[in-house]
Amino acid sequence: MTALLTSPLRPIFILDADQAVGMTARRAKQQAGAWVEANAGRWPELRAAHLTGGITAMPDEAPFPASKDVDMHLIFADESPILVDAPPGPRILEEEYRGIAVEAGLKAVSEYRSAGVVLSNPEIAYHLTVDSVLYDPDGLLGDLQGEVRRDYVRRRWVLARLEHERRGRAGALELLAQMGDAWGASGEVNILGYTMLFPTAALWVAALKPPRMGGRWLMNARENLAAYARLDLYEELLATLGMANLGLEQVEQFLSEATEGFDVALALREAGRMPASGAAPFAHKLHRHLRPYFVETCQGMLDEGYHREAMGWILPYHLATADVVLAVGPQAVKGTFAARRAGLLRALGMETVEGRAAAVANATRLSDRIFTLADEIVANHPGVKD
């Protein structure tokens, strides 16, 4: 991909996706393994690596779209500088490699110290029940897999994974206040959506299903809640996020604005001009090779007739890119981006302190109800074993 910045406001991107044409899940997994092997030499403290995310549940011959990324965990010794010296924000590497977009979460080996620790962690447990290992020179993951596969369906561990999601929700609510202090209304609203990932993820945990989040997380939440005849909770989720009554034309406009914002923010990043005060929420996604993951995923949902669901992925990009541009962008475009951000917050009903406080209170109550549903699913699920 190359960029021609024709004005301070409208970069033009020319995509070269030849390497991604005809990509299958098997080939994407092979490329992911090759990426780890190619980089292992620069990480002497790397202990193991495995796939995570949706690719672990895909048939090998399934097409792997260029708009998806390949998620994985890189597992390092606890004292590794890549962990100890990491800047504030998500510990994630985002890179492009031979037609795939790699998103690698950086994990400490202590998070894999026993099968019980793994079984309690929904970010990890499912992925060690399937063929996900990319790199395991010392047998760390191989030694865990047998017990994890055997006990994954045990009630005590399913409930432990639900508790992990509850703790994640609590941590996200604490982060919300911090991001509000650092980034104002934009930071609060961005993290508000993040807080709702945990209760919706709990439904996958309870149903013993592979986790499905990413850009289609609202679509996936809708599917899960529909399976239990609880679309009332889904509509409440959209209302809590301010998306329930958005129209198609509004969402298309917000996508256009967010796409333009992505291109301007990307140009700033590539010029070494990211904010010095710390990462804006979601700014780790502002990479050249991730543009299709954003734009094509959203456009796909619009094409399917799910404009409100597309807004769940448009929102973080719209706010994050505006944050970056308003912090370090050209003065000539700041007024435009400030007005767009204000318009988005107004459309969501979150332009005021009172509106955002009400949304947080609603999100807290709603997430409690979704967690209760998850508990009920576990109690009645025939696959959960005592």
Side-chain angles (χ1 to χ4, degrees):
M1 183 190 297
T2 58
L4 301 173
L5 186 55
T6 59
S7 76
L9 192 58
R10 289 191 177 274
I12 298 174
F13 282 83
I14 303 170
L15 303 179
D16 180 6
D18 289 346
Q19 289 183 304
V21 172
M23 182 75 69
T24 63
R26 175 188 283 119
R27 182 59 177 158
K29 293 173 186 178
Q30 292 170 343
Q31 296 290 59
W35 178 80
V36 175
E37 293 284 352
N39 285 282
R42 66 170 173 154
W43 300 319
E45 302 89 1
L46 181 67
R47 294 287 307 279
H50 66 89
L51 294 164
T52 63
I55 195 172
T56 61
M58 294 178 69
D60 278 349
E61 298 310 314
F64 194 80
S67 59
K68 289 181 67 68
D69 57 3
V70 179
D71 298 306
M72 67 176 70
H73 285 173
L74 301 177
I75 305 162
F76 292 88
D78 285 34
E79 67 278 7
S80 171
I82 201 170
L83 299 178
V84 176
D85 300 334
R91 295 195 302 196
I92 294 173
L93 291 178
E94 301 271 12
E95 292 191 12
E96 186 276 336
Y97 182 77
R98 297 182 181 176
I100 64 169
V102 174
E103 178 174 299
L106 311 182
K107 299 294 182 180
V109 73
S110 58
E111 297 179 72
Y112 293 78
R113 64 184 179 273
S114 70
V117 170
V118 169
L119 284 162
S120 301
N121 190 331
E123 285 188 88
I124 300 172
Y126 170 79
H127 306 297
L128 292 193
T129 69
V130 296
D131 184 14
S132 67
V133 177
L134 296 172
Y135 179 79
D136 194 24
D138 303 323
L140 169 69
L141 301 179
D143 290 344
L144 293 169
Q145 279 189 304
E147 190 172 344
V148 171
R149 286 170 172 167
R150 185 191 70 215
D151 291 344
Y152 181 77
V153 298
R154 298 294 180 189
R155 189 176 308 277
R156 64 173 293 199
W157 298 122
V158 180
L159 293 176
R161 292 194 291 274
L162 287 183
E163 184 57 31
H164 188 284
E165 298 291 5
R166 284 185 168 94
R167 290 195 302 271
R169 190 275 304 263
L173 287 171
E174 293 178 4
L175 182 62
L176 189 148
Q178 297 171 20
M179 288 296 101
D181 290 341
W183 294 95
S186 179
E188 288 183 28
V189 174
N190 223 334
I191 298 300
L192 176 64
Y194 176 61
T195 66
M196 297 309 300
L197 295 180
F198 298 95
T200 54
L203 297 175
W204 297 109
V205 171
L208 302 178
K209 293 181 179 179
R212 292 167 58 196
M213 303 303 288
R216 293 171 67 92
W217 76 277
L218 280 176
M219 294 279 289
N220 297 331
R222 185 183 190 278
E223 176 187 323
N224 238 344
L225 289 166
Y228 297 98
R230 293 307 307 268
L231 284 176
D232 60 309
L233 294 177
Y234 180 69
E235 290 299 325
E236 191 171 335
L237 170 59
L238 290 179
T240 296
L241 298 176
M243 300 173 185
N245 298 316
L246 293 180
L248 173 60
E249 290 186 3
Q250 283 179 291
V251 174
E252 288 176 332
Q253 179 61 34
F254 289 137
L255 175 56
S256 176
E257 293 173 0
T259 302
E260 188 173 12
F262 187 102
D263 292 349
V264 176
L266 178 61
L268 292 168
R269 160 165 267 168
E270 294 184 343
R273 293 178 58 189
M274 290 297 282
S277 58
F282 221 69
H284 66 284
K285 291 289 189 184
L286 301 181
H287 291 277
R288 181 179 296 272
H289 65 278
L290 292 179
R291 192 177 189 270
Y293 183 38
F294 161 46
V295 179
E296 294 177 19
T297 298
C298 294
Q299 189 59 55
M301 285 184 276
L302 291 176
D303 293 344
E304 294 171 47
Y306 292 102
H307 67 276
R308 299 186 303 173
E309 287 72 15
M311 197 64 207
W313 202 229
I314 295 168
L315 174 66
Y317 280 101
H318 195 294
L319 293 175
T321 57
D323 287 342
V324 170
V325 174
L326 290 172
V328 297
Q331 194 64 38
V333 304
K334 287 187 177 182
T336 297
F337 277 86
R340 289 176 176 178
R341 185 174 69 179
L344 173 61
L345 294 174
R346 188 165 53 251
L348 299 175
M350 297 190 196
E351 73 274 25
T352 66
V353 172
E354 294 78 13
R356 294 191 297 278
V360 172
N362 290 338
T364 303
R365 288 191 293 269
L366 175 59
S367 59
D368 286 341
R369 294 170 65 199
I370 297 175
F371 277 122
T372 297
L373 173 60
D375 289 334
E376 293 169 359
I377 294 170
V378 173
N380 296 289
H381 197 298
V384 175
K385 307 300 181 183
D386 290 321

